[in-house]
Amino acid sequence: MPAAPLTTVPSLSSPPLFRGRIGCDASSGYYAVSRRYRLHLALSCPHCLRIAITHSLLGLEQALPVALLPAVPESPDGGHSALRPLYEASSHRHPGPATAPVLSDDWTGRIVSTHTPDILRDLARHFGGHGSDRPVLYPQGEEEEIEAVSRLCEYRINEAAQRAGQAGADAMVRQAAVGSLLRTLGSLEWRLATQDFILGDEMTAADVQLWVTLVQLDTVHRLHLDAATVHRVADHPHLWAYARRLAAHPDFGQHLDLDGIADRHHAHCRGLEAAGAAVQILDWAAHVADGATAQRSQEGPDTFPAPQDALHLRPSTSVHPAPPSLRTA
């Protein structure tokens, strides 16, 4: 049975400050050339995590250097002090915080872009795709489906989970948010019951987005949900098996900074912790360790950084029936 089409949700976010694009030739201003550009990323940030994974999947370690930033921005305004010179050079007396992610141009010392979707597409289209073993993250004809997954993750998972765990919110609002979240997870579960990746049999940018969203759901949003809701979220075995499988993939798992995510969340969160905080869905560190061990056995020792300390797993046991289409999410 073919997968049902994904529905989109109108974007509500405001445009970022810097929206430069990498072009194909010199006439574009910013053109693709090895080691001209630099990524500045804090792996505790979900946007940065998506870029880091994409960077590794495309094998851009030599062509495009990465500068890693602290998990928690240290400036009083919520920005990174290391990025302030770039922001000041690109926008005189820049009024806001110097936040990540940033794609900068080493030739000019200025920022090219802070817009994650643009950065991801430019990496894939103008730097990636040169090796037969590298995935085609934005295959021709699937751009709308990839965008639909992105909006689904943003609004039907992230935003719904936030509303479901909002302290002091009306009970009916929370209940509606839980219903929306579970319908979306059920639709994803239905798809992954019959295919390896969210859009079919090949990995795309949609899988990077979904995996990072599932990481956030279990490591951040879960902390503010009641235990019953977390158990219902966990009761999607194909979805979480997919998350485990990608956690063991070295290009995903090596960038997962669990301690940093926790530190960033606790530094900014003002919500109340709920009973769901005690019901972890996946043992992320253990699955990352499994993937690193398997890779080292093939390529020799010390290929990847040592995994973080294992967490305790409390698995789910029951299964909810999957809805027939993501249009109901």
Side-chain angles (χ1 to χ4, degrees):
M1 179 183 295
L6 293 151
T7 53
T8 60
V9 181
S11 176
L12 302 177
S13 57
S14 59
L17 181 61
F18 300 99
R19 288 289 299 271
R21 301 300 301 270
I22 305 296
C24 298
D25 52 48
S27 65
S28 67
Y30 295 117
Y31 57 95
V33 59
S34 180
R35 304 195 71 81
R36 173 177 176 177
Y37 305 98
R38 188 177 304 271
L39 287 166
H40 306 261
L41 306 174
L43 297 180
S44 59
C45 163
H47 300 292
C48 294
L49 181 55
R50 287 173 62 196
I51 295 172
I53 293 168
T54 300
H55 180 269
S56 290
L57 285 169
L58 297 173
L60 301 181
E61 290 80 4
Q62 297 302 316
L64 187 59
V66 174
L68 292 180
L69 300 165
V72 182
E74 70 280 19
S75 295
D77 62 358
H80 292 277
S81 59
L83 295 179
R84 176 54 59 178
L86 278 172
Y87 273 82
E88 292 290 355
S90 308
S91 173
H92 182 58
R93 294 184 178 179
H94 175 71
T99 59
V102 166
L103 174 64
S104 68
D105 178 10
D106 282 356
W107 290 4
T108 64
R110 294 172 180 266
I111 294 173
V112 177
S113 180
T114 56
H115 186 48
T116 299
D118 288 351
I119 294 173
L120 292 171
R121 286 176 172 82
D122 287 350
L123 294 187
R125 291 171 178 168
H126 301 306
F127 288 93
H130 302 300
S132 58
D133 59 334
R134 299 297 177 182
V136 180
L137 296 179
Y138 291 88
Q140 188 174 2
E142 293 193 6
E143 291 87 351
E144 290 186 5
E145 289 285 279
I146 291 170
E147 179 62 21
V149 171
S150 179
R151 292 176 185 247
L152 197 77
C153 289
E154 181 178 355
Y155 295 101
R156 302 305 191 200
I157 299 180
N158 282 330
E159 192 173 282
Q162 289 175 348
R163 291 199 310 270
Q166 187 175 2
D170 181 81
M172 292 186 66
V173 172
R174 292 199 305 270
Q175 185 177 1
V178 169
S180 176
L181 173 63
L182 294 175
R183 285 193 299 273
T184 301
L185 298 180
S187 298
L188 296 168
E189 168 78 7
W190 178 79
R191 281 184 163 236
L192 291 168
T194 57
Q195 57 194 41
D196 290 338
F197 300 101
I198 197 59
L199 296 184
D201 296 326
E202 301 294 334
M203 182 187 296
T204 69
D207 296 289
V208 179
Q209 169 76 79
L210 178 56
W211 187 78
V212 171
T213 300
L214 294 175
V215 169
Q216 287 292 110
L217 181 58
D218 191 20
T219 62
V220 175
H221 301 313
R222 170 182 57 83
L223 306 181
H224 304 290
L225 300 175
D226 62 71
T229 297
V230 175
H231 280 297
R232 294 174 72 188
V233 167
D235 287 343
H236 298 87
H238 295 102
L239 180 63
W240 293 107
Y242 159 90
R244 288 196 299 270
R245 176 162 51 88
L246 290 184
H249 190 299
D251 291 333
F252 285 72
Q254 69 172 309
H255 300 297
L256 186 55
D257 181 8
L258 295 171
D259 290 338
I261 292 172
D263 290 344
R264 184 185 184 94
H265 175 65
H266 292 307
H268 298 290
C269 179
R270 299 295 180 265
L272 300 177
E273 188 170 286
V279 191
Q280 184 187 355
I281 299 172
L282 288 193
D283 187 342
W284 296 94
H287 299 307
V288 170
D290 289 344
T293 300
Q295 188 72 15
R296 282 196 296 269
S297 69
Q298 297 176 6
E299 300 185 6
D302 302 325
T303 304
F304 299 104
Q308 302 160 25
D309 292 337
L311 304 176
H312 296 291
L313 173 66
R314 186 171 176 180
S316 95
T317 56
S318 59
V319 178
H320 279 294
S325 169
L326 286 179
R327 291 187 180 276
T328 61

